[in-house]
Amino acid sequence: MTGSPSDRSPAEPPEGTESSLPGSGAVPNPGPGPARSVDGAGEGAESAVFGSGSPGSVPHPDPARPADRTGPSLRLSPKVLLTDPIRMLPSLFLPLAGVLFLGGFSPGSFVWAALGVVGSVAFSAVRWATFTYQVAGDRLELTRSLISRSVRTIPLERIRGVDVSAPPLHRLLGIAVLRIDTGAGGDDKQEGELDGVTVEEGERLKAVLLWHARARTARRAQARETAPASGSGDFTAANVAEPATPAVVRHEVGDATPQRVFFVLPRKWLVYGPLSGSYLLTPFALVAGAVGLAFQWGSEFKIDRRVVMGAGEWLWEHPPLLAAALVLLLLAMPVVGVVMYAVFNWDFTLRAAEGYLIAGRGLITRRSVSLERRRVRGFEFVEGPAERWAGFGRAWAIVTGLGDSETRGQLLPVAPRETVLDVLGEAIGPITTGLRSHPPAARRRRLFRAIFPWLVPAACATAAALLWSGLWWALAVPALILALLGIPLGLDRYRSLGHTYDGSRLSVRSGSLRRSQAVVEKRAVVGWTLSQTWFQRRAGLLTVTAGVGAGSGGYAALDIGEAEGPAFAAEVTPTWLAPFLVSEDLGRGNPLPAESSLLGSATPGEPPTPDRSSSSGERGNG
């Protein structure tokens, strides 16, 4: 097929230039040739990976092998026959316990329970024998033929990341779990999982899958370089075979290419675990879980619920013992916080290799997460009250097409603020300007919303205590205290507000109990939403939300001035808002409608299509 360059996007390689991917154990042999760096599709330098062929040429798949199968179908490690039955024990516990109880713990009941265990092992063996996987050309095939044959096909070009984790039993047996992220929003039905590959096979398969993404990026870069060089005429595979700059960097699958380590968590920093509120509350969560387990499973262990209730009432009737139990829980909070922090973040390492950010952590369950760097659009820096007081924080990556971003996207655990910002600046990129403050009207709104909800019940309870009964003071005093505490809370929430733009990245910040600052690249912005409630309109404020095709999908600058809000959006993407803004109206600060959505194209600088149903006056107010 031939055609002019204008008929085909330069981002996509022409037909017939797709290189074959090595399968089971196969390693492509790169040809000799000088080396140079290749721009990864205009989004940062990436390593180009090609198969065998002459220098400067793009390899073609063998026409004699339509499926381009490079090896036989593979099975998981036989060691899964030990892990699968153990993993099934929680679901088998109730049936087996029911069989023993109904049989009165007779020999026959034990025989039936043993048959259930043997049946689970046999089922695991059948599942292992009927499941295979194979890298076939440009796809990964997961085949299961237990009763009916099913084949799940995952295009390798859609793979966004590969996670390798090893739970305790897996680590003991030397196997691992390999999960494939295809950017399907975290839906397990859209992703692949290989539970039970050997550690060596997991690393090999991870290198093969990620190699394909790097090779595809290099082919796109080569196609972009070839398009201007070819000029007018046919844009064919022959043109691609003769790039303007023929030399490329070549790496084999599994090569130990240079990597950069950004951060390694020092062991002494494990004491910072209690700064995170989630780890501090672990003792109370354990106690609540034990109580819930006693109520749910008490009958199975011949524990009457009345016994549990009686123990709680007895403890309530002995205040010294109750106080001692609470003190023990409070003293256990920092200790358990350190332990939990160490369990989840032991040997946390953030490094860059082969165009990916790789984060590895875990003491009991070791996990390694790979994030494609060219899909990282920014980061989110989060601070809790204790973390802010001590000068610490945490960070997550804002990545396009990433499922389960709360765990997969974590870049750094609780660490000193300066260290976190330095690492983020090196790994992703810093924000080079300070945050701009919001109008005083935003402070009044923060104070009102922090004080008024508690001031109303305090006033009502005080009136009831003065008119009817003094028992109402039990409600009036706590509500009044909370209203007074709302003053510093509201002031802190106002100080946390801010937004800025440095020419390449925009940043918005808000929150107090969980203060979050998002830093997003300009190219990630795909639209704007300007919203204004009735109260905001009276205060001369509005909310500007930058629509981003990554992370949470949108990041808002809360309670910004009416004139400052549209100006901020126009500063980032000026041509998008040109049809909606009039300089005279912007200078006078005319209010916006209740909600105005300004959607742009995926490419910054391309104005959106104006709404034909809007009049020119309405567009000027928007």
Side-chain angles (χ1 to χ4, degrees):
M1 179 182 295
T2 61
S4 63
S6 60
D7 297 332
R8 183 181 290 108
S9 172
E12 294 291 343
E15 296 181 4
T17 61
E18 191 76 19
S19 62
S20 61
L21 181 70
S24 173
V27 177
N29 296 322
R36 69 172 182 87
S37 61
V38 178
D39 186 11
E43 299 177 353
E46 302 287 348
S47 297
V49 185
F50 293 88
S52 60
S54 60
S57 64
V58 178
H60 297 258
D62 187 358
R65 296 180 299 168
D68 198 20
R69 301 184 181 273
T70 55
S73 299
L74 302 177
R75 286 191 172 90
L76 302 177
S77 171
K79 297 178 182 178
V80 297
L81 300 180
L82 298 176
T83 60
D84 281 355
I86 296 177
R87 188 175 53 183
M88 295 172 60
L89 281 180
S91 60
L92 294 176
F93 179 78
L94 279 180
L96 295 179
V99 170
L100 294 178
F101 277 110
L102 293 177
F105 293 93
S106 62
S109 64
F110 281 101
V111 171
W112 284 108
L115 289 177
V117 175
V118 173
S120 65
V121 175
F123 179 74
S124 299
V126 173
R127 282 173 54 89
W128 171 80
T130 56
F131 177 80
T132 60
Y133 65 92
Q134 180 186 38
V135 177
D138 58 351
R139 64 193 181 275
L140 173 65
E141 294 182 355
L142 308 179
T143 305
R144 186 176 298 279
S145 56
L146 179 57
I147 297 177
S148 61
R149 180 181 176 86
S150 65
V151 180
R152 176 180 297 178
T153 301
I154 301 177
L156 299 182
E157 64 182 16
R158 295 186 179 273
I159 294 178
R160 302 293 179 257
V162 179
D163 302 352
V164 179
S165 60
L169 185 58
H170 287 62
R171 295 181 67 181
L172 182 64
L173 297 175
I175 57 179
V177 181
L178 186 141
R179 294 183 177 89
I180 301 170
D181 181 13
T182 59
D187 188 358
D188 291 339
K189 295 181 180 180
Q190 300 294 329
E191 302 184 357
E193 178 178 289
L194 298 177
D195 187 352
V197 296
T198 61
V199 175
E200 295 78 10
E201 172 64 10
E203 294 299 328
R204 185 201 69 83
L205 190 59
K206 176 181 178 181
V208 168
L209 298 178
L210 297 183
W211 172 86
H212 185 279
R214 299 194 303 272
R216 187 168 183 266
T217 300
R219 288 193 298 272
R220 286 187 172 186
Q222 189 180 31
R224 289 187 176 183
E225 293 179 358
T226 305
S230 61
S232 60
D234 292 343
F235 190 74
T236 61
N239 292 332
V240 177
E242 298 177 358
T245 51
V248 296
V249 174
R250 300 172 181 271
H251 294 299
E252 295 184 1
V253 175
D255 275 356
T257 55
Q259 64 177 356
R260 180 179 181 184
V261 178
F262 294 109
F263 176 77
V264 177
L265 183 68
R267 300 289 174 81
K268 61 181 181 181
W269 284 11
L270 296 177
V271 297
Y272 301 147
L275 294 176
S276 178
S278 58
Y279 297 134
L280 282 177
L281 298 177
T282 303
F284 295 94
L286 293 177
V287 172
V291 174
L293 187 64
F295 277 102
Q296 184 176 1
W297 299 86
S299 59
E300 302 295 338
F301 295 99
K302 297 183 178 181
I303 300 177
D304 196 345
R305 293 187 178 183
R306 290 176 295 180
V307 176
V308 180
M309 296 293 295
E313 294 175 356
W314 179 84
L315 188 61
W316 182 262
E317 294 173 355
H318 295 77
L321 295 178
L322 180 61
L326 292 177
V327 170
L328 288 177
L329 287 177
L330 292 176
L331 294 177
M333 289 174 64
V335 178
V336 177
V338 171
V339 173
M340 297 303 295
Y341 184 76
V343 168
F344 287 103
N345 299 295
W346 186 267
D347 283 345
F348 187 100
T349 304
L350 179 67
R351 68 184 190 274
E354 299 290 355
Y356 288 83
L357 286 176
I358 304 173
R361 61 173 179 167
L363 177 62
I364 299 177
T365 299
R366 189 69 184 174
R367 185 176 187 182
S368 176
V369 180
S370 301
L371 303 176
E372 195 173 2
R373 296 192 71 179
R374 69 187 185 93
R375 296 189 179 275
V376 177
R377 297 294 184 261
F379 62 86
E380 187 175 5
F381 181 71
V382 178
E383 303 166 283
E387 296 166 347
R388 291 171 57 191
W389 172 77
F392 285 73
R394 296 160 286 164
W396 280 265
I398 299 176
V399 188
T400 60
L402 179 66
D404 191 17
S405 59
E406 284 295 324
T407 55
R408 292 182 181 179
Q410 186 177 21
L411 290 177
L412 289 173
V414 178
R417 176 186 176 90
E418 293 77 10
T419 302
V420 174
L421 295 180
D422 290 343
V423 172
L424 293 175
E426 295 179 6
I428 299 179
I431 189 77
T432 58
T433 60
L435 296 176
R436 308 166 191 172
S437 60
H438 287 203
R443 179 173 60 241
R444 294 194 296 269
R445 278 177 53 84
R446 293 294 174 277
L447 289 172
F448 179 82
R449 297 171 67 177
I451 298 174
F452 186 76
W454 303 109
L455 194 59
V456 171
C460 295
T462 300
L466 295 176
L467 296 176
W468 294 303
S469 174
L471 296 176
W472 286 98
W473 289 112
L475 176 62
V477 173
L480 185 59
I481 293 175
L482 292 175
L484 293 175
L485 292 177
I487 297 176
L489 177 62
L491 294 176
D492 183 70
R493 291 181 62 194
Y494 170 72
R495 287 191 296 266
S496 298
L497 294 178
H499 67 280
T500 190
Y501 176 65
D502 64 358
S504 60
R505 296 178 178 86
L506 62 96
S507 177
V508 294
R509 188 179 70 181
S510 63
S512 178
L513 300 180
R514 185 185 185 275
R515 189 169 75 175
S516 173
Q517 179 177 356
V519 177
V520 184
E521 296 179 358
K522 174 183 177 179
R523 60 173 178 162
V525 178
V526 296
W528 295 95
T529 299
L530 278 65
S531 58
Q532 189 177 48
T533 64
W534 183 81
F535 295 101
Q536 285 180 316
R537 188 177 302 128
R538 289 181 58 87
L541 303 172
L542 55 86
T543 297
V544 180
T545 303
V548 178
S552 62
Y555 298 93
L558 304 176
D559 287 347
I560 194 172
E562 285 181 338
E564 190 178 7
F568 174 58
E571 182 183 6
V572 180
T573 54
T575 57
W576 291 5
L577 276 73
F580 301 91
L581 296 177
V582 176
S583 59
E584 292 81 7
D585 292 341
L586 181 59
R588 290 194 299 266
N590 285 357
L592 288 171
E595 181 163 341
S596 175
S597 179
L598 307 177
L599 296 178
S601 62
T603 304
E606 181 181 346
T609 304
D611 187 0
R612 300 299 181 185
S613 62
S614 301
S615 64
S616 59
E618 291 174 345
R619 188 178 300 117
N621 291 337

